Amino acid sequence: MDSPRPHEPARDLDLLVWDAPNIDMTLSAILGSRPASSDRPRFDAIARWFLAEAGDHEVEGCVFTNVQPAAAVSLRGWIEALRSFGYAVFARPKLQPEDDVDDAMLHHIAERAATYRLRRLVVASGDGRNFLAPLEELRRAGVRCVVLSFAEVAGYAQESPHIEFVDLEDVPGAFQVSLGRTRLTALPPEGGWFRPTRPMRALLDEQHPAPAPVGPALATAPAPAPGPAPSGPEAAVQAGAVQAGAVQAGAVPLAPAVPPAPASLDVTGPRAAHAAGGDGRVPHPGPPRTRAL
């Protein structure tokens, strides 16, 4: 995509950036297993949804991914399929565990914001640590900012008053079948189940299982020396003092701690095993059915 020349006025742009490592790992965590082909999002449907609100503005869709050297050959088909749907693909080698694509995504967003009138920015990522502050800053500058991810991990977007949130499964046609999720924000009236992410018997395979939490330890004080038992009003006053001291010492049971929200996720990149298919879901190659981004 060519940037405007210096003497040309800035053009309106709608930009979509897709964090492939983050989305892929999040999907695996939600399902509790490696996603099957039918569990993966269809990039042609994502493109149609993105284009529906773009009007006549210029559009650009970019997928950012990590590539392990051993998977470089097998990922070629997936990348070519994305390109056939009109996406530009940025690939970075995964040589160290800390190698990621977040910096490249932020750099590209800043570059487009400097050379175009960024009208709408869609970020497909649940990584609030890296994207919350930049998105809120762009929103204050007049850019409509949308996070496209899963409700389970994108709390930063749902809680921010400056960012719109769209659950990836709510995009029409994004998934061939339902992921079978139970969302706290969309519970059915009759209730729903949250499936375990691993078998219970896996606990027996742990060499040193952590003890189950039993609540805070109770503070104890040395027993007072025996003396004559009080009676009457004096006994009532002492009983009240003992009860108040127990509360201050933490003897009153406390509610169990709430487990922390899931942290931002990252993996080495999309699975290459799904580089073929005939249902229009990436990564099967074939001509795009939407106008080029």
Side-chain angles (χ1 to χ4, degrees), residues 39-106:
D39 295 329
R40 295 185 177 277
R42 298 171 52 113
F43 281 84
D44 57 338
I46 302 298
R48 292 188 183 95
W49 168 82
F50 176 61
L51 292 168
E53 296 189 26
D56 295 330
H57 301 292
E58 290 195 40
V59 295
E60 182 181 33
C62 306
V63 176
F64 293 76
T65 188
N66 285 128
V67 179
Q68 288 186 337
V73 175
S74 57
L75 277 179
R76 184 180 300 277
W78 181 77
I79 291 175
E80 290 305 315
L82 288 172
R83 296 175 64 196
S84 75
F85 288 136
Y87 293 91
V89 180
F90 175 87
R92 170 173 287 174
K94 185 78 170 179
L95 304 178
Q96 302 295 332
E98 63 273 12
D99 290 340
D100 205 351
V101 295
D102 294 336
D103 290 344
M105 294 176 66
L106 291 170

Side-chain angles (χ1 to χ4, degrees), residues 13-222:
L13 174 68
D14 282 18
L15 175 63
L16 165 66
V17 291
W18 184 281
D19 187 347
N22 181 272
I23 294 295
D24 195 68
M25 180 54 118
T26 301
L27 186 57
S28 297
I30 289 173
L31 297 175
S33 61
R34 180 177 178 177
S37 178
S38 59
D39 295 329
R40 295 185 177 277
R42 298 171 52 113
F43 281 84
D44 57 338
I46 302 298
R48 292 188 183 95
W49 168 82
F50 176 61
L51 292 168
E53 296 189 26
D56 295 330
H57 301 292
E58 290 195 40
V59 295
E60 182 181 33
C62 306
V63 176
F64 293 76
T65 188
N66 285 128
V67 179
Q68 288 186 337
V73 175
S74 57
L75 277 179
R76 184 180 300 277
W78 181 77
I79 291 175
E80 290 305 315
L82 288 172
R83 296 175 64 196
S84 75
F85 288 136
Y87 293 91
V89 180
F90 175 87
R92 170 173 287 174
K94 185 78 170 179
L95 304 178
Q96 302 295 332
E98 63 273 12
D99 290 340
D100 205 351
V101 295
D102 294 336
D103 290 344
M105 294 176 66
L106 291 170
H107 180 269
H108 186 72
I109 292 170
E111 183 180 65
R112 290 303 188 226
T115 54
Y116 287 84
R117 284 194 303 268
L118 202 54
R119 174 181 172 270
R120 179 175 54 134
L121 170 63
V122 178
V123 175
S125 178
D127 189 352
R129 179 186 59 184
N130 287 306
F131 292 106
L132 175 59
L135 290 181
E136 289 189 332
E137 182 179 352
L138 284 171
R139 182 64 188 93
R140 286 189 287 268
V143 180
R144 179 186 172 194
C145 295
V146 182
V147 166
L148 180 65
S149 184
F150 295 99
E152 290 87 338
V153 297
Y156 78 98
Q158 299 171 75
E159 296 170 0
S160 172
H162 307 292
I163 301 174
E164 300 176 37
F165 172 74
V166 176
D167 193 282
L168 193 53
E169 200 172 3
D170 291 336
V171 174
F175 293 92
Q176 184 178 0
V177 296
S178 172
L179 297 179
R181 301 157 61 203
T182 301
R183 288 185 273 173
L184 291 175
T185 55
L187 287 172
E190 66 277 11
W193 288 93
F194 289 89
R195 296 177 296 178
T197 57
R198 64 171 183 166
M200 185 179 294
R201 289 190 177 276
L203 296 172
L204 300 178
D205 298 331
E206 297 179 354
Q207 295 181 356
H208 302 286
V214 294
L218 302 182
T220 59

